[in-house]
Amino acid sequence: MKTATALLENMLKQQELLLGPKKVLAENEAQLQELRAAVPPQIQSHFDRLMDRGKRGIAVVRHGVCCECHMRAAIGVLATLSRGEDIQLCGSCGRYLYLPEGESTAAPPLVAPAKPAVKKRKRKGVTEDQPPAAN
């Protein structure tokens, strides 16, 4: 059994061949058939269904975000992808997710905007020389 990462790289090569120029596709038909034979039929049929609809079958994950639908992937999905144990689908767009080598699964830290300085408020009818009136 191939590892999940090798399987996804195989499907990524298929996608590049299918989305490339038609002239290149005709020349590499044998290579495409060889790549298709290495993928299990259930996975290949889902990939083909997406490609037939004019969508990409595989989406690259960068900084924990699917690059096709721009939605953040779940932490458990990212952990599984980083270990290379299993293939995962995007919960939003349904594409297979591919985590490139060396890509961090952590999102970049969010920087909070600086809060404006708090101004002291003056009480109405009271000057700084006079004490407040007692009621």
Side-chain angles (χ1 to χ4, degrees):
M1 170 87 185
K2 287 188 163 186
T3 66
T5 306
L7 184 67
L8 289 171
E9 287 173 355
N10 182 338
M11 290 172 32
L12 194 61
K13 289 177 189 173
Q14 281 186 53
Q15 181 172 286
E16 290 171 1
L17 288 174
L18 289 171
L19 296 177
K22 296 293 181 190
K23 183 175 85 170
V24 175
L25 180 62
E27 294 172 357
N28 296 327
E29 188 65 35
Q31 181 184 6
L32 184 63
Q33 291 304 323
E34 183 181 312
L35 291 170
R36 290 176 62 83
V39 178
Q42 300 88 353
I43 296 171
Q44 187 65 46
S45 66
H46 181 73
F47 177 81
D48 289 340
R49 194 174 316 116
L50 289 168
M51 294 297 288
D52 289 342
R53 290 182 185 167
K55 299 179 179 181
R56 294 179 179 267
I58 298 214
V60 176
V61 176
R62 297 210 191 283
H63 303 293
V65 176
C66 171
C67 287
E68 295 299 321
C69 67
H70 306 290
M71 295 298 292
R72 186 174 300 276
I75 294 171
V77 171
L78 294 174
T80 304
L81 287 173
S82 66
R83 289 191 300 264
E85 294 174 348
D86 198 8
I87 59 174
Q88 296 289 316
L89 293 173
C90 177
S92 180
C93 64
R95 292 175 174 94
Y96 288 108
L97 295 175
Y98 173 70
L99 187 67
E101 289 279 329
E103 179 69 28
S104 166
T105 57
L110 298 176
V111 178
K115 292 185 179 181
V118 179
K119 294 182 180 178
K120 278 194 159 186
R121 300 171 98 189
K122 290 186 180 180
R123 293 177 50 189
K124 288 187 177 181
V126 178
T127 62
E128 292 187 23
D129 323 348
Q130 299 175 341
N135 288 335

